[in-house]
């Protein structure tokens, strides 16, 4: 049984993440989606919200692909998380060259921490390659259409969240 770990912040989960998830399912029998708790990115969505959104998508893709998908929040080191969930493979998505440098360093560091864990990079379909959670949040904040970047329930959550942030009293 080959287990993979797909870690990220998922703030929020996008169609780009979803594309990578589907591809990862062709490589492993069991996929754990690691949702980062202690992220210095100061997420817009709480851990619970991010986990729930990822779970909904994971359930659907799991059914479609026959891969067992589970969601695991983590705040420890990535390799420790991989050891915890029994994953020998870490899945990462690569978008542009800008992702490469950070990922390159991370692989080097993770390899020196645990040489038994391999990192695999996947690229999304051209249609989804440019999607980044950060930009999706910005578009939603400014009232733009995010329907081509995220699932409808995620888009609704984004608009709701931005209304709450802009109008905390709810008046
Ligand atoms: P992180 O905080 O680890 O960067 P993200 O939630 O931003 O987490 O992304 C999780 C993983 O998904 C990363 O490997 C990231 O490169 C990948 N990813 C996100 N969006 C895309 C996309 N549009 N195409 C390919 N990979 C993506």
């Amino acid at each position: 049984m080959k287990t993979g770990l797909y870690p990220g912040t998922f703030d929020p989960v996008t169609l780009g993440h979803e594309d990578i998830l589907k591809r990862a399912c062709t490589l492993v029998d069991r996929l754990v989606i690691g949702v980062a708790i202690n992220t210095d990115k100061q997420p817009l969505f709480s851990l619970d919200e991010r986990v729930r959104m990822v779970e909904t998508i994971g359930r659907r893709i799991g059914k479609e692909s026959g891969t067992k998908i589970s969601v695991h929040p983590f705040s420890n080191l990535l390799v420790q998380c991989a050891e915890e969930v029994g994953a020998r493979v870490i899945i990462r998505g690569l978008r542009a060259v800008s992702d490469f440098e950070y990922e390159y360093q991370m692989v080097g560091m993770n390899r020196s921490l645990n040489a038994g864990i391999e990192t695999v990079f996947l690229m999304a379909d051209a249609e989804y390659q440019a999607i980044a959670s950060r930009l999706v949040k910005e578009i939603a904040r400014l009232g733009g259409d995010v329907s081509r970047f995220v699932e409808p329930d995620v888009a609704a959550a984004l608009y709701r969240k931005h209304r709450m942030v802009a109008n905390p009293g709810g008046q």
Side-chain angles (χ1 to χ4, degrees):
M1 181 97 148
K2 193 169 281 173
T3 300
L5 170 66
Y6 178 36
T9 311
F10 304 104
D11 184 42
V13 65
T14 68
L15 299 185
H17 292 124
E18 203 173 317
D19 186 281
I20 297 296
L21 257 176
K22 286 181 188 160
R23 289 169 199 279
C25 285
T26 66
L27 303 177
V28 297
D29 309 296
R30 185 174 153 252
L31 187 68
V32 180
I33 307 174
V35 181
I37 300 175
N38 289 341
T39 165
D40 44 14
K41 290 185 172 177
Q42 297 193 317
L44 176 66
F45 289 99
S46 69
L47 175 67
D48 260 16
E49 291 169 319
R50 287 180 286 132
V51 164
R52 255 183 279 127
M53 288 188 271
V54 169
E55 271 174 350
T56 305
I57 284 163
R59 248 193 315 272
R60 180 165 50 72
I61 295 177
K63 242 188 233 145
E64 285 166 8
S65 65
T67 303
K68 200 174 165 334
I69 298 184
S70 56
V71 179
H72 182 86
F74 75 100
S75 57
N76 48 356
L77 277 173
L78 189 53
V79 287
Q80 285 171 346
C81 173
E83 286 161 9
E84 226 169 73
V85 301
R88 305 294 296 260
V89 180
I90 292 173
I91 311 272
R92 296 288 289 171
L94 264 191
R95 280 162 293 196
V97 183
S98 52
D99 279 345
F100 182 78
E101 196 149 343
Y102 173 73
E103 297 292 342
Y104 173 80
Q105 281 188 322
M106 201 153 85
V107 170
M109 303 292 275
N110 285 341
R111 193 169 280 167
S112 57
L113 293 171
N114 185 335
I117 296 177
E118 222 34 88
T119 304
V120 171
F121 292 99
L122 299 174
M123 281 176 75
D125 189 80
E127 190 183 346
Y128 304 120
Q129 263 173 36
I131 303 176
S133 298
R134 183 178 55 83
L135 297 176
V136 171
K137 283 184 282 192
E138 188 65 7
I139 294 168
R141 188 176 69 81
L142 297 171
D145 179 10
V146 293
S147 62
R148 274 174 303 142
F149 312 131
V150 294
E151 293 289 350
D153 56 333
V154 174
L158 267 166
Y159 295 127
R160 235 183 357 256
K161 180 68 82 177
H162 280 302
R163 269 200 304 276
M164 265 166 55
V165 171
N167 185 12
Q171 310 283 322

